[in-house]
Amino acid sequence: MEAARSDETLRPATADGHAGPAWPLGKPWPEAQPLGSGPPPDDIMIEFRDLYKSFGEKHILRGVTMAIPKGVSTVIMGGSGTGKSVTIKHVVGLLKADQGEVWVHGENVDELSKDGLDQLRLKIGFLFQSGALFDSMTVYEQMDFVLKRHTDLDADGRKDRIMETLEWVNLPKTTSQYPSELSGGQRKRIGLARSIILQPDIMVYDEPTTGLDPISVRVVSNLINRLRDERGITSMTITHDLLCAEMISDHVFYLLDGVYAESGTLAEVAQSDKPEIREFFGDEYAMMFKTVRDGA
Amino acid sequence: MASKPAILNLSAFTEGLARVGEFGSFVGDFFKRFWRPPFEWKEVWRQMDEVGVKSFLLTAVTGLAIGVVLAMQSRGTLARFGAEAVLPKMLALSLVKEIGPVFTSLVLAGRVGAGIGAEIGSMRVTEQIDALEVGSLKPYNYLVITRVIACVVMFPILTVWADAIGLFGGFMESYIVGNVDYRVFFASAFDSLTFPDIIVDTGKTAIFGFIVASVSSFLGYTVRGGTREVGQAAMQSVVTSILLILVADVIVVAVSLALFAPD
């Protein structure tokens, strides 16, 4: 189990220059800017500023404030109904904030025009909990659908890109299969392939390993890590899965009652003094981290 | 205690009004977007196959049954007045002007409306619509506009098909019972029809198709919850479509009579 890394930065910058600088380990985690202060610094990819969201009488988010630097894998944890999914849906404009600001790629999401939002969404990949594959299309068709709409690639170019992406998720033989013919783990990987086919800078994962067996959890988590390490993709992941969180997290935010109650490495959050968080992780888990730390 | 139900009713009433407003905006979006890219021709074609080709048998059986039963029922009554000879005219007018278009549309509202409501609804609850949205793939164009266009085009075609099969059914009944020659039957039937009969009364099914597709798409698109709500959306799609078709029929007939009143 590796709660923190020993190298100087969280990960090496990619050779092709696609990745921006990763957040150095020694540097304190960035604070979000105050409301109305304009775009965040260039090295901040996503920023929530005092975000509020209610559905009728239900107050889900009550002032979420956090900044996510470029090239870092952030995990959001918390009990059911604490607003994790609601938070990430603001990143892609699926929900509009009642109050507060959401900055992504230097743009205030709620102030974008429809076209502006479409352009921003092309820079973000979103892996839904169920994979959200289109039932009426084969694996090839759904990836081709995205490429046809958003690139100038000809049929051969699109085919090359699709096969390259499917090989990347290790499912090159599924092209003619419909979603109903795939297993849960395969659906997640095809969903991942579809969401990265436009080569986004940011990935948002909504419970990417829920319902998968431990082997599939490792496969999907490794793919998430590879996206971060090889392509420098900034990611934001919701998960309850401790194995997945251990494998992918650089930084963890724990949401409680609509605000984040704790933030730090997974080990730091797991050893929180807050009873709700201790209960979430379990005393044995916190103790395990403590033992590893003390042993080191 | 007395005020509580009143408050509840008021709340239900305002919710209903809000829903109608939402539907109005949803339909308004169709007119704002259908002539702008992206044009999903492949999906329109697929939907025309889904709505049209796959409904040919159902509408044929409906038309045949109506034609045969109408001929059987009318023959006795007409015979009492010695007017059996007008049976083809009566059949053609009844079928083409009212029974064919309305019955066909009601049958299609059941098949197509439930299908659209359930399909789009299940796409909503399984986050497929969100995935289209997040991928900047314009789900409204892909899911709604394609289905509305398919229904607007296919409802009149299926109505003409059902009318033709209905007339054929009427002829078969006349041939078996009265040994009527097909030339006499069809000459008499078509002689009774005028331009407005065919164009207006068949054309009104394009409006019915619009109603079925837009109502069902709306109810599917705005589903919240799970499979239970998807089932409800499918059922409501059929019920609402049928009611609106009947209301629209009254309005279209009143307007067409005002515009093309027989001398």
Side-chain angles (χ1 to χ4, degrees):
Chain A
M1 189 167 3
E2 191 181 64
R5 289 155 202 263
S6 57
D7 50 357
E8 196 182 339
T9 59
L10 287 172
R11 81 199 41 77
T14 55
D16 63 0
H18 184 75
W23 195 255
L25 264 186
K27 201 172 169 182
W29 193 258
E31 293 288 329
Q33 305 291 306
L35 275 173
S37 57
D42 288 345
D43 54 1
I44 301 299
M45 214 55 159
I46 303 170
E47 192 166 288
F48 299 95
R49 296 176 185 169
D50 205 20
L51 186 66
Y52 281 79
K53 184 70 187 176
S54 301
F55 296 99
E57 297 296 307
K58 277 189 181 171
H59 302 292
I60 307 294
L61 302 182
R62 302 158 186 258
V64 169
T65 296
M66 60 173 91
I68 296 171
K70 202 180 257 186
V72 170
S73 173
T74 306
V75 170
I76 299 182
M77 303 183 90
S80 299
T82 49
K84 302 182 299 296
S85 293
V86 171
T87 304
I88 59 168
K89 283 182 178 171
H90 284 84
V91 174
V92 284
L94 280 177
L95 290 174
K96 208 173 159 90
D98 294 340
Q99 196 183 312
E101 293 172 3
V102 182
W103 289 84
V104 179
H105 238 298
E107 310 218 54
N108 186 340
V109 177
D110 287 342
E111 286 183 357
L112 287 171
S113 64
K114 274 189 175 176
D115 288 343
L117 185 58
D118 279 345
Q119 287 307 310
L120 177 68
R121 283 169 168 169
L122 296 181
K123 298 173 190 165
I124 305 171
F126 199 114
L127 178 61
F128 288 86
Q129 192 174 344
S130 59
L133 300 179
F134 310 135
D135 291 332
S136 59
M137 297 183 198
T138 63
V139 166
Y140 190 92
E141 283 168 348
Q142 33 204 314
M143 299 179 78
D144 198 38
F145 181 50
V146 177
L147 288 176
K148 264 188 193 165
R149 183 73 73 249
H150 295 305
T151 67
D152 296 327
L153 294 171
D154 60 12
D156 288 340
R158 294 199 304 272
K159 188 178 177 189
D160 290 346
R161 174 84 69 92
I162 291 167
M163 293 318 296
E164 182 195 331
T165 313
L166 286 176
E167 269 161 28
W168 196 84
V169 296
N170 205 19
L171 289 170
K173 291 178 183 165
T174 55
T175 47
S176 59
Q177 286 181 272
Y178 283 91
S180 58
E181 297 166 329
L182 301 169
S183 69
Q186 286 176 325
R187 262 183 242 169
K188 289 268 167 79
R189 281 147 70 191
I190 296 297
L192 181 58
R194 190 185 64 191
S195 58
I196 61 168
I197 198 146
L198 292 175
Q199 300 171 337
D201 299 328
I202 298 172
M203 275 300 302
V204 180
Y205 305 97
D206 187 359
E207 306 206 19
T209 56
T210 299
L212 301 185
D213 62 85
I215 297 170
S216 302
V217 170
R218 286 194 182 88
V219 169
V220 172
S221 301
N222 278 327
L223 289 172
I224 292 173
N225 279 344
R226 282 183 61 198
L227 280 174
R228 178 194 59 188
D229 296 339
E230 294 171 14
R231 303 187 185 194
I233 289 179
T234 309
S235 70
M236 201 175 167
T237 308
I238 289 177
T239 186
H240 287 123
D241 186 336
L242 295 178
L243 173 58
C244 173
E246 273 175 38
M247 288 181 71
I248 69 170
S249 66
D250 292 326
H251 195 86
V252 174
F253 286 97
Y254 192 94
L255 275 180
L256 193 64
D257 296 330
V259 290
Y260 85 78
E262 203 71 74
S263 110
T265 62
L266 185 63
E268 287 164 354
V269 173
Q271 293 174 81
S272 165
D273 294 333
K274 294 191 170 65
E276 295 93 340
I277 301 178
R278 290 298 283 261
E279 194 182 1
F280 180 89
F281 286 96
D283 284 342
E284 300 83 358
Y285 197 80
M287 188 59 72
M288 192 164 63
F289 273 116
K290 192 170 182 300
T291 310
V292 169
R293 190 191 60 191
D294 292 348
Chain B
M1 281 298 286
S3 65
K4 201 174 176 187
I7 289 168
L8 285 176
N9 286 340
L10 188 65
S11 155
F13 179 70
T14 50
E15 262 176 44
L17 275 184
R19 198 83 173 122
V20 170
E22 228 182 302
F23 177 63
S25 160
F26 188 83
V27 171
D29 275 350
F30 174 83
F31 292 104
K32 269 192 270 178
R33 299 188 196 188
F34 86 95
W35 50 277
R36 289 186 187 150
F39 301 113
E40 306 282 0
W41 296 120
K42 196 177 163 196
E43 182 62 11
V44 170
W45 191 250
R46 198 177 76 81
Q47 289 303 324
M48 282 167 73
D49 177 59
E50 193 63 42
V51 173
V53 178
K54 291 180 182 163
S55 301
F56 262 69
L57 183 62
L58 179 67
T59 47
V61 172
T62 307
L64 189 68
I66 292 170
V68 172
V69 170
L70 206 55
M72 285 160 63
Q73 295 276 24
S74 309
R75 179 173 299 283
T77 312
L78 291 173
R80 264 189 273 152
F81 298 100
E84 262 184 288
V86 299
L87 181 64
K89 284 184 200 294
M90 196 221 71
L91 265 179
L93 282 170
S94 315
L95 274 171
V96 172
K97 282 183 75 68
E98 192 57 30
I99 297 175
V102 173
F103 254 77
T104 306
S105 298
L106 294 181
V107 166
L108 288 173
R111 195 189 100 72
V112 178
I116 292 175
E119 189 183 6
I120 296 184
S122 61
M123 287 185 77
R124 169 61 76 192
V125 300
T126 56
E127 298 181 310
Q128 291 176 55
I129 295 181
D130 285 346
L132 287 164
E133 194 87 54
V134 167
S136 302
L137 294 165
K138 304 208 184 298
Y140 190 94
N141 292 49
Y142 183 70
L143 299 173
V144 180
I145 292 175
T146 52
R147 282 162 175 77
V148 172
I149 291 174
C151 285
V152 167
V153 173
M154 292 313 293
F155 269 49
I157 293 173
L158 288 164
T159 300
V160 170
W161 165 248
D163 288 350
I165 296 282
L167 270 180
F168 177 74
F171 162 70
M172 288 304 291
E173 192 275 347
S174 301
Y175 179 75
I176 292 165
V177 177
N179 200 24
V180 177
D181 183 79
Y182 75 92
R183 281 163 295 198
V184 174
F185 182 91
F186 286 107
S188 171
F190 288 121
D191 187 46
S192 62
L193 296 172
T194 61
F195 176 77
D197 294 333
I198 297 167
I199 296 301
V200 175
D201 293 307
T202 303
K204 72 184 175 187
T205 59
I207 297 171
F208 301 161
F210 183 87
I211 288 170
V212 171
S214 55
V215 165
S216 310
S217 299
F218 171 72
L219 290 169
Y221 211 83
T222 53
V223 159
R224 292 288 179 271
T227 47
R228 183 171 157 269
E229 284 75 13
V230 172
Q232 283 176 343
M235 181 267 290
Q236 285 169 358
S237 299
V238 177
V239 173
T240 314
S241 296
I242 287 174
L243 287 175
L244 289 180
I245 284 173
L246 295 173
V247 171
D249 188 43
V250 173
I251 295 168
V252 172
V253 169
V255 171
S256 69
L257 283 176
L259 292 175
F260 305 103
D263 297 330

